[in-house]
Amino acid sequence: QKAALVAQLKEYEIPAERGVIVAQNGNSLIPLVLNETRHTLFSDPKFVKDPEEAAEQIAKAIGGNADDYEKKMRLDTRYSILAKKLDKNQKEQIDKLELKGVGTREAVYRTYPQGSLAGQILGFVNDDGEGKYGLEQALDGELRGKPGQLKAITDAQGVPLATNKDNVVNEPVAGKRVILTIDVGMQQQLEDILKAGLEAAKSGSGSALVIEANTGAIKAMANYPTYNPGEFFKVEDGNVFNNPAVSAPLEVGSIMKPLTVAAGLNQGVISPESTFYDKRFWNIDDAVVRNVEEDGGAGTKSVRDILQLSLNTGATWVLMQMGGGEINSKARQTWYDYMVNHYNFGKLTGVEQGYEAEGSIPRPDQGFGLDIQYANTTFGQGMTATPLQMGAALASAINGGKYYRPHLVASTVDGSGKETRKEPEILNPNVVSPGTSNDLRELMEYVYSKNRTVYGSTSERAEYSIGGKTGTAQVAKPEGGYYDDRYNGTYLGFVGGDRPQYVIVVRVNEPKIAGYAGSRAAAPIFVKVSNMLIDNFGVTPKQ
């Protein structure tokens, strides 16, 4: 009796239904990730009397290779998977065969009804049921749920006797439903604008994102190239699975300058009216900091000029003021404190994405050539950050000084229907003062107004507050130094009314058009995105 029981008592895991993912579309919700029931074909080789004949019948019924089926039915195991993802018709064809030791069971697979939309935000679930990349990886524990357990007495063919009184069942607990901050319409338009902008700039890749300045909620985040999570197995280059907006830090270039100026303003070492004599270069640690050609020539320059003319010497001068007039330990420590503890560079934001990168900020007191290294960081070289980190940092510098953790999840709903909302989380309430925020907004508005026609803007849109800054950063060589002919273009800006509403970040990798990568490649994308937000997504005009 004991031997018979051992042969007939089996334990089965009852998979939990994985939580679905939905996003906002105006006042309604649209599914981005759903579950689809398919069927897994399996065998218990102990009960298959003629594997060769059974394999041929299976191949005729559903296709596939008969030899592969036969090999799997000869394995020394009690459970061998022959095929996955059978549809309803294929299951019925198998059932008609009535093969001993061969059966099907329901299996739930992820389906992505919007195709490639937000693909890198979402990630995918592999054939082992593991969430990979994006939200599927970051929230795998919440989405997965808890599987149930069935201990079953089986009949002579290994089929569980569900009515047997000795069966023990623990019901599975479904995964949580996840509601995103993403707006589907905004996401689709951002993806379209980014792709068209990259094609115009003759660039093969780039990113763009829109984040609410006063909550940290990410409303849209696009990358190109992208992929369809429902067809992840067709992807040849695994790098496309990553979300570069959060996983690929870069030397950001001159979009760092507004944050440098904000630190100087907040320290009280400069004001919006401050001026300095710019001789177009600084000699630091046996190296030279120079400006781009359109710097207006040597002469007295203002803080506005630092941003509008994108003066590397001006950003370096701000660093000097932090040290009492020169780059020294005090200057480096102060600027390091702002980069790391105010703007949160060099740290993970905690956004709900797999493989987020933290970027890198050099230590102010370790290594050689510290002064020139820190001069470089004031204009976005010699340090790295992700587009998301830059967006969150600017939001904190223009919204009155509150650093909100960037997030993609608006709320979750458990199996009982209980909804848990994710409230905006303030990581630092005092990044800069409200006064500094006001000054920085006005400075960035000035920069945009002076350059908007260069960026391709044909309308003034004076009833809105629009500000921004370009960045053109040399691409670093793996062995050290920089390429002379390879640049990334970036743009960091905002749009709103009496207060900033959205922060926009654009990244264009190595465009192949003439002119500066920031103004010629990234800025036109910003203009189209800001217009899209004003026209379609309720930007409140100035009162």
Side-chain angles (χ1 to χ4, degrees):
Q1 184 180 14
K2 186 176 181 180
L5 188 61
V6 169
Q8 290 183 271
L9 184 62
K10 296 182 180 179
E11 290 192 10
Y12 296 84
E13 182 179 273
I14 308 172
E17 182 177 0
R18 195 172 177 90
V20 302
I21 302 175
V22 301
Q24 301 170 20
N25 187 41
N27 295 323
S28 61
L29 296 174
I30 285 183
L32 296 183
V33 187
L34 295 172
N35 298 312
E36 180 183 18
T37 299
R38 290 291 186 102
H39 302 272
T40 297
L41 177 63
F42 68 91
S43 73
D44 185 338
K46 178 179 179 180
F47 293 100
V48 181
K49 294 183 177 180
D50 188 344
E52 183 178 0
E53 173 63 22
E56 290 179 359
Q57 291 189 54
I58 293 170
K60 288 179 182 178
I62 65 170
N65 190 301
D67 290 340
D68 289 340
Y69 295 142
E70 182 182 347
K71 289 177 183 176
K72 292 175 181 177
M73 285 189 286
R74 294 186 182 277
L75 296 175
D76 184 18
T77 180
R78 295 299 305 276
Y79 183 76
S80 177
I81 294 177
L82 306 181
K84 294 181 176 181
K85 298 186 179 180
L86 271 61
D87 59 30
K88 183 179 179 182
N89 180 61
Q90 289 174 311
K91 175 195 180 304
E92 291 174 349
Q93 295 301 315
I94 291 294
D95 290 345
K96 290 178 182 177
L97 297 177
E98 296 183 348
L99 296 171
K100 273 194 172 183
V102 176
T104 61
R105 66 174 177 84
E106 287 188 354
V108 178
Y109 292 92
R110 295 300 247 183
T111 181
Y112 301 83
Q114 309 304 325
S116 62
L117 183 74
Q120 285 144 328
I121 295 176
L122 298 174
F124 60 87
V125 176
N126 66 16
D127 287 343
D128 295 323
E130 300 168 333
K132 294 294 183 182
Y133 299 91
L135 286 156
E136 294 278 25
Q137 177 173 318
L139 302 178
D140 190 48
E142 294 181 71
L143 292 167
R144 181 188 294 271
K146 185 177 180 181
Q149 295 294 326
L150 169 66
K151 186 177 290 185
I153 300 294
T154 67
D155 64 14
Q157 296 186 16
V159 178
L161 302 175
T163 59
N164 189 289
K165 62 182 177 64
D166 293 324
N167 289 1
V168 178
V169 178
N170 291 322
E171 294 294 336
V173 178
K176 292 180 180 179
R177 180 174 185 245
V178 175
I179 302 170
L180 301 182
T181 59
I182 293 293
D183 184 290
V184 171
M186 190 188 299
Q187 178 71 27
Q188 184 64 70
Q189 292 184 56
L190 184 66
E191 291 186 10
D192 292 343
I193 291 170
L194 175 64
K195 183 179 179 182
L198 294 174
E199 290 173 352
K202 299 179 181 179
S203 167
S205 62
S207 304
L209 64 90
V210 178
I211 184 172
E212 287 184 345
N214 301 289
T215 68
I218 300 168
K219 303 303 293 182
M221 185 157 53
N223 301 283
Y224 185 83
T226 186
Y227 75 107
N228 182 345
E231 298 177 343
F232 70 89
F233 46 86
K234 294 182 180 179
V235 172
E236 295 181 359
D237 181 4
N239 289 323
V240 79
F241 293 143
N242 276 309
N243 179 354
V246 304
S247 66
L250 78 159
E251 296 190 34
V252 298
S254 292
I255 61 173
M256 179 63 89
K257 288 172 183 169
L259 300 177
T260 304
V261 168
L265 292 171
N266 205 56
Q267 282 288 298
V269 297
I270 63 170
S271 74
E273 290 73 37
S274 295
T275 60
F276 73 104
Y277 183 78
D278 181 22
K279 57 183 181 180
R280 304 186 71 192
F281 67 91
W282 295 108
N283 291 312
I284 304 170
D285 287 345
D286 297 326
V288 181
V289 171
R290 298 184 186 279
N291 292 326
V292 296
E293 294 175 5
E294 290 83 2
D295 63 0
T300 299
K301 302 292 171 59
S302 67
V303 171
R304 281 180 171 79
D305 293 330
I306 293 174
L307 298 182
Q308 196 263 313
L309 298 175
S310 199
L311 302 178
N312 295 341
T313 53
T316 303
W317 172 78
V318 174
L319 177 64
M320 291 176 175
Q321 305 320 297
M322 296 182 200
E326 64 180 2
I327 303 177
N328 51 29
S329 178
K330 179 183 177 182
R332 297 194 305 270
Q333 291 284 356
T334 300
W335 178 223
Y336 176 84
D337 177 60
Y338 271 85
M339 285 193 286
V340 174
N341 298 321
H342 290 243
Y343 301 138
N344 272 28
F345 295 138
K347 301 177 182 179
L348 299 177
T349 68
V351 69
E352 305 92 337
Q353 289 286 277
Y355 301 112
E356 184 190 5
E358 59 189 14
S360 62
I361 299 297
R363 294 285 306 178
D365 51 4
Q366 295 177 3
F368 299 96
L370 293 177
D371 290 345
I372 185 61
Q373 190 174 31
Y374 260 68
N376 288 340
T377 63
T378 65
F379 48 88
Q381 300 268 187
M383 53 73 64
T384 64
T386 65
L388 180 62
Q389 287 175 316
M390 293 302 298
L394 180 66
S396 72
I398 62 171
N399 69 11
K402 295 180 176 64
Y403 187 103
Y404 289 94
R405 186 190 299 280
H407 60 280
L408 284 158
V409 176
S411 62
T412 59
V413 182
D414 65 20
S416 68
K418 179 183 177 182
E419 182 173 3
T420 302
R421 295 195 59 80
K422 185 168 185 177
E423 299 298 331
E425 181 183 358
I426 298 175
L427 299 185
N428 185 345
N430 299 303
V431 174
V432 295
S433 70
T436 295
S437 267
N438 289 333
D439 290 340
L440 183 62
R441 287 199 303 271
E442 292 175 3
L443 288 168
M444 294 183 73
E445 288 173 356
Y446 170 81
V447 172
Y448 180 81
S449 66
K450 293 287 286 185
N451 293 292
R452 65 177 182 80
T453 55
V454 176
Y455 303 157
S457 174
T458 56
S459 58
E460 188 173 354
R461 317 214 73 149
E463 67 272 33
Y464 298 98
S465 170
I466 306 174
K469 179 72 186 76
T470 59
T472 299
Q474 285 181 284
V475 177
K477 295 179 180 179
E479 66 274 15
Y482 295 89
Y483 294 103
D484 293 328
D485 56 350
R486 294 170 61 180
Y487 298 87
N488 292 323
T490 53
Y491 200 95
L492 180 65
F494 63 88
V495 60
D498 291 327
R499 64 197 301 239
Q501 193 164 338
Y502 296 113
V503 168
I504 304 163
V505 190
V506 178
R507 168 183 183 169
V508 179
N509 296 323
E510 300 188 37
K512 302 296 190 297
I513 56 174
Y516 294 107
S519 58
R520 291 296 309 281
I525 296 175
F526 169 86
V527 170
K528 288 182 172 61
V529 174
S530 61
N531 285 337
M532 175 264 287
L533 295 173
I534 290 172
D535 293 337
N536 303 325
F537 294 99
V539 177
T540 304
K542 297 176 183 177
Q543 297 302 306

